[in-house]
Amino acid sequence: MNQIKQDFRFNRFYYQPIIFPQDKIGTDVQTTLIENLSNEIFYMIFDYLDGCHVYHAFLNLNERFQQLVKSSCCLLKIRFHALSKKKHMNKWKQFIVLNKQQIFSIHMWLPSRTEQLCAEFTINSTFSRLESLVLEGMPSEQIMSLLIELPCLPHLFSLTIHNIKDHSKDLTNIYQMVFTLPLLKYFKYTTNDVDTSTSLLSTTHKQFSTIEYMVMRHCCTFEQLSSIISYTPQLRRLDFSDTYNIALSYETILPLPLPNLTYLRIRIHHLLFDAFETFIRGMNSKLKVLYVCADYKDSSYLDSDQWENLIIKYLPKLKKFSLEVYVHVGHSLNPSPYIEEPIQFNSSFWIERQMIVSTRIEDGLIMYSIQPLKKRWYEDTQDKIINSSVKHSQSNQLNLHIYNMFYKDNYEVLIVTIHYVLSVSLFYHVEIPYDTIFIGLLIQILDVLPQLISLKLLSLSFNKPRGLSLKEIDILSSRKNTSQIKYVYLKKMIKIEDIDFLMKLCPSMVYLRIDYAYKNNAESFVRNILKKIDCKLNEHLRVLCFHIPTADNEMIKKFENMIDSEELLVNYRIQRDGENIYLQWQ
């Protein structure tokens, strides 16, 4: 039982996968009474629930549940959001007092007007099973008083401090107290304050912390980071963000030897790539995973050759790599680019690692992302219905997030921004998750992206905010000679006219996927599409996929009967994969 509970914790710093013990779980399909479930299954259920709810819901049901809840095997998770009513506070405090030795984790969120509760609540050695503690919204004075008591806890492995109420600027005392915790493996500190700092001196004696996983979501210079990390020689995973006041001379960055570090996620501001490279070299680590997010006007961050040299020389064990670079272009029709050369991650080094360029445009911001190639939406069929393989050089993707009213009402700015990103990278796949995109804007977007292979949309609008202009009508009529789009996905079909428009917009389409949720009209929907194909509105279409949550084998038979009786297709195949139905023909 202990092993079952050990693998089932919600805040384990190792993030171990949950493995259900098959020998403990009954497989008798005839079991219908909850009383017949084993104790182990109930403990698994309890692990998903708040301990206070478990206590009050199950304790007085019967003698068996009373023994379950009171058993030492039943470890409770407490998530307490302080309320203003005194009776709720008293009820919570009474529960804590009665169940201290069964509490496995505590998450406390204490908003304003709860100072009295803060003063009354203490954690001491009587919480003998406590492994995880989250403190949120508490005053720094109370947090410090709690930290003083924590070293006496025999099993405290995880500590999270989030948004101190009085916005403590200096984190020195907090880090000093955290590093005294004898068994701590996971520590996370987050704040929205943009002016925090530490004056922690680098350790010169054997005051080392046992922390192996640390998340630092607060402002910090690399010099301060160096001092903090000098206390954590066992560090294996580091998530570090919000650097600031970086020295202009990268020679001032101190080495951070972390021989055990295998995972690094870092977000950096105003740091030249040369300085970042110096930081990586000084770590002398065995990194296997590296995620970098940079927000700075230094084109070197998108220089594939520099990254390739850095990885080969200093990160030979790296297995996973991801890079995000943000560029602020504002709402100007004449953005000032700092990227002077095309983004080209297409050498054999990047092809072997299947790394591609993905670009996102959203409200005056462009995010360039270098990331591993993932399975695309049209490659989700089990038996590879269509030959969807594309060259690595044709894998770059563009995502357009036009939720902001500025882009919605100023098409010219969006088109200019797309032209801007095209100056540094070509794109062959585009996704527009905005609900709902006006077809006139969509026509203009595709007109400047003639090389597209795939298109993914949420839904279409035909008459808002206006009708099609003469220019847009001319572009649409010329699509038959210019469009190369083969794969189209419409997540939300509003009416059958959506399909008519997509066939005109993408006349080379071979695969159409639609999330169609209306079971009663599904036959009519398929009939209309097949008749349009028969009229040669689109003579290239060969695969139709539609998603129906209620799909079953009986529905497949109805489709077959309809297609055969009305002679809509001759040589075809229809199959169901879960809630997806695939119709393929010659």
Side-chain angles (χ1 to χ4, degrees):
M1 176 60 220
N2 290 336
Q3 182 60 42
I4 296 173
K5 291 293 289 183
Q6 188 74 9
D7 291 339
F8 219 69
R9 299 305 174 208
F10 84 106
N11 194 25
R12 300 296 293 176
F13 66 95
Y14 285 116
Y15 296 99
Q16 295 174 340
I18 297 172
I19 301 176
F20 290 89
Q22 297 298 324
D23 58 326
K24 298 289 185 179
I25 300 178
T27 58
D28 186 358
V29 295
Q30 301 300 321
T31 300
T32 56
L33 299 178
I34 191 172
E35 288 84 354
N36 292 336
L37 296 178
S38 67
N39 291 350
E40 286 79 3
I41 292 181
F42 278 112
Y43 286 133
M44 291 179 183
I45 295 173
F46 293 167
D47 206 77
Y48 283 101
L49 305 176
D50 182 88
C52 192
H53 296 160
V54 170
Y55 188 83
H56 292 289
F58 290 90
L59 183 65
N60 297 318
L61 285 180
N62 54 43
E63 184 176 353
R64 181 199 176 189
F65 283 109
Q66 188 174 46
Q67 292 177 354
L68 280 177
V69 174
K70 287 293 186 179
S71 169
S72 61
C73 294
C74 182
L75 300 184
L76 305 174
K77 299 185 304 185
I78 311 302
R79 185 176 179 87
F80 176 67
H81 287 201
L83 303 174
S84 58
K85 293 184 179 180
K86 186 175 181 180
K87 64 177 182 179
H88 292 291
M89 296 184 185
N90 291 335
K91 181 179 179 180
W92 183 79
K93 289 189 291 184
Q94 182 182 19
F95 169 77
I96 291 290
V97 170
L98 294 175
N99 298 276
K100 286 183 178 181
Q101 296 183 355
Q102 286 182 253
I103 295 177
F104 161 77
S105 70
I106 299 177
H107 183 152
M108 292 181 60
W109 176 68
L110 302 179
S112 59
R113 296 180 297 175
T114 57
E115 286 80 2
Q116 182 179 357
L117 178 61
C118 290
E120 294 176 358
F121 181 75
T122 58
I123 296 177
N124 51 41
S125 59
T126 57
F127 290 81
S128 58
R129 309 289 290 277
L130 185 64
E131 292 190 18
S132 174
L133 177 62
V134 179
L135 306 175
E136 183 174 356
M138 298 176 66
S140 58
E141 192 174 309
Q142 178 64 21
I143 286 181
M144 288 304 300
S145 65
L146 287 173
L147 290 178
I148 292 173
E149 299 293 335
L150 296 186
C152 68
L153 297 177
H155 296 99
L156 185 65
F157 300 130
S158 174
L159 173 64
T160 298
I161 300 175
H162 181 59
N163 280 345
I164 293 180
K165 188 190 300 184
D166 49 13
H167 302 290
S168 178
K169 304 292 184 182
D170 191 345
L171 308 181
T172 303
N173 291 335
I174 289 179
Y175 272 104
Q176 285 177 334
M177 292 303 304
V178 167
F179 291 153
T180 65
L181 302 180
L183 299 174
L184 198 65
K185 299 294 183 182
Y186 174 93
F187 176 61
K188 179 178 181 179
Y189 186 97
T190 66
T191 180
N192 295 324
D193 201 316
V194 296
D195 193 24
T196 59
S197 64
T198 64
S199 55
L200 195 68
L201 298 177
S202 298
T203 182
T204 56
H205 51 83
K206 295 183 179 180
Q207 186 187 346
F208 292 134
S209 170
T210 57
I211 293 175
E212 297 182 13
Y213 189 173
M214 187 155 59
V215 181
M216 304 168 61
R217 301 284 172 78
H218 60 80
C219 290
C220 181
T221 68
F222 272 95
E223 288 80 8
Q224 294 166 357
L225 175 64
S226 177
S227 298
I228 292 172
I229 290 181
S230 68
Y231 291 80
T232 59
Q234 299 182 38
L235 196 64
R236 296 190 296 109
R237 296 170 63 100
L238 174 62
D239 189 333
F240 173 51
S241 63
D242 292 329
T243 60
Y244 77 112
N245 292 337
I246 299 300
L248 295 178
S249 175
Y250 61 84
E251 289 87 353
T252 62
I253 295 181
L254 302 177
L256 297 176
L258 295 170
N260 298 311
L261 192 70
T262 59
Y263 175 102
L264 174 62
R265 181 186 293 271
I266 181 170
R267 176 161 186 166
I268 48 184
H269 303 270
H270 309 298
L271 182 69
L272 291 170
F273 183 83
D274 288 344
F276 172 76
E277 184 178 17
T278 301
F279 167 68
I280 293 294
R281 291 203 312 261
M283 292 173 59
N284 190 26
S285 67
K286 301 175 182 177
L287 277 183
K288 295 181 179 179
V289 179
L290 175 61
Y291 298 105
V292 179
C293 181
D295 183 4
Y296 190 70
K297 296 181 179 180
D298 182 357
S299 60
S300 296
Y301 277 104
L302 290 170
D303 187 325
S304 61
D305 291 336
Q306 292 210 52
W307 279 108
E308 183 175 339
N309 293 332
L310 177 64
I311 293 173
I312 291 175
K313 289 181 179 179
Y314 303 106
L315 301 172
K317 296 183 179 296
L318 195 66
K319 301 297 182 183
K320 293 183 180 180
F321 172 70
S322 179
L323 170 66
E324 295 178 357
V325 179
Y326 289 86
V327 179
H328 296 270
V329 296
H331 296 152
S332 171
L333 287 175
N334 297 298
S336 300
Y338 71 82
I339 302 174
E340 300 176 353
E341 299 293 334
I343 303 173
Q344 295 180 338
F345 284 74
N346 55 12
S347 68
S348 59
F349 177 87
W350 301 106
I351 294 176
E352 290 173 3
R353 289 159 178 78
Q354 288 292 291
M355 303 295 290
I356 65 168
V357 179
S358 179
T359 303
R360 171 172 169 159
I361 298 176
E362 180 176 0
D363 189 25
L365 184 72
I366 299 174
M367 185 190 79
Y368 297 101
S369 176
I370 314 303
Q371 58 189 8
L373 175 63
K374 298 180 180 179
K375 193 175 184 181
R376 300 197 182 279
W377 58 265
Y378 52 80
E379 299 173 327
D380 59 356
T381 55
Q382 290 183 349
D383 58 353
K384 299 294 181 183
I385 289 179
I386 58 175
N387 182 12
S388 58
S389 61
V390 297
K391 300 177 181 178
H392 180 271
S393 59
Q394 295 181 326
S395 297
N396 296 350
Q397 178 168 303
L398 177 64
N399 294 276
L400 300 177
H401 293 253
I402 49 179
Y403 306 108
N404 186 271
M405 289 300 296
F406 187 89
Y407 277 152
K408 286 167 61 179
D409 298 332
N410 294 270
Y411 299 160
E412 187 178 1
V413 174
L414 178 61
I415 299 302
V416 168
T417 306
I418 295 175
H419 275 294
Y420 168 46
V421 298
L422 284 172
S423 66
V424 295
S425 179
L426 291 177
F427 301 97
Y428 299 88
H429 310 273
V430 67
E431 294 188 6
I432 309 177
Y434 172 67
D435 184 16
T436 307
I437 184 170
F438 172 53
I439 61 171
L441 176 57
L442 179 60
I443 290 172
Q444 293 187 46
I445 291 173
L446 299 191
D447 185 48
V448 298
L449 297 169
Q451 69 280 357
L452 286 182
I453 297 173
S454 74
L455 171 65
K456 182 176 180 180
L457 305 166
L458 188 55
S459 60
L460 298 170
S461 172
F462 283 84
N463 50 19
K464 292 183 179 180
R466 57 173 173 78
L468 291 180
S469 67
L470 291 177
K471 177 182 178 181
E472 291 162 350
I473 293 175
D474 289 340
I475 294 173
L476 182 60
S477 62
S478 65
R479 292 289 296 172
K480 187 171 185 179
N481 300 320
T482 60
S483 176
Q484 299 184 47
I485 297 175
K486 295 183 178 181
Y487 313 112
V488 179
Y489 184 3
L490 180 64
K491 288 186 66 68
K492 183 180 179 182
M493 188 190 77
I494 299 176
K495 49 188 177 180
I496 193 64
E497 286 75 14
D498 294 352
I499 307 304
D500 292 340
F501 171 74
L502 288 176
M503 287 185 173
K504 293 177 182 177
L505 187 68
C506 309
S508 299
M509 174 172 54
V510 298
Y511 178 26
L512 173 62
R513 174 169 176 170
I514 301 170
D515 286 353
Y516 187 84
Y518 305 101
K519 177 179 179 180
N520 294 335
N521 296 322
E523 291 179 57
S524 175
F525 161 71
V526 174
R527 179 186 295 109
N528 284 333
I529 292 181
L530 295 181
K531 285 185 176 180
K532 294 179 187 303
I533 298 170
D534 187 53
C535 295
K536 295 187 177 180
L537 187 59
N538 186 309
E539 57 186 347
H540 300 286
L541 187 62
R542 289 295 179 269
V543 180
L544 175 65
C545 170
F546 46 100
H547 178 87
I548 303 180
T550 56
D552 53 25
N553 292 333
E554 184 65 27
M555 184 176 292
I556 298 296
K557 294 179 181 178
K558 291 182 179 179
F559 285 147
E560 290 177 338
N561 292 335
M562 176 195 69
I563 294 173
D564 293 340
S565 62
E566 300 181 24
E567 298 182 349
L568 297 175
L569 294 172
V570 178
N571 189 6
Y572 73 94
R573 180 175 57 159
I574 186 169
Q575 64 185 71
R576 181 172 68 90
D577 180 10
E579 296 179 347
N580 292 326
I581 294 178
Y582 295 91
L583 178 60
Q584 179 187 17
W585 59 93
Q586 300 297 324

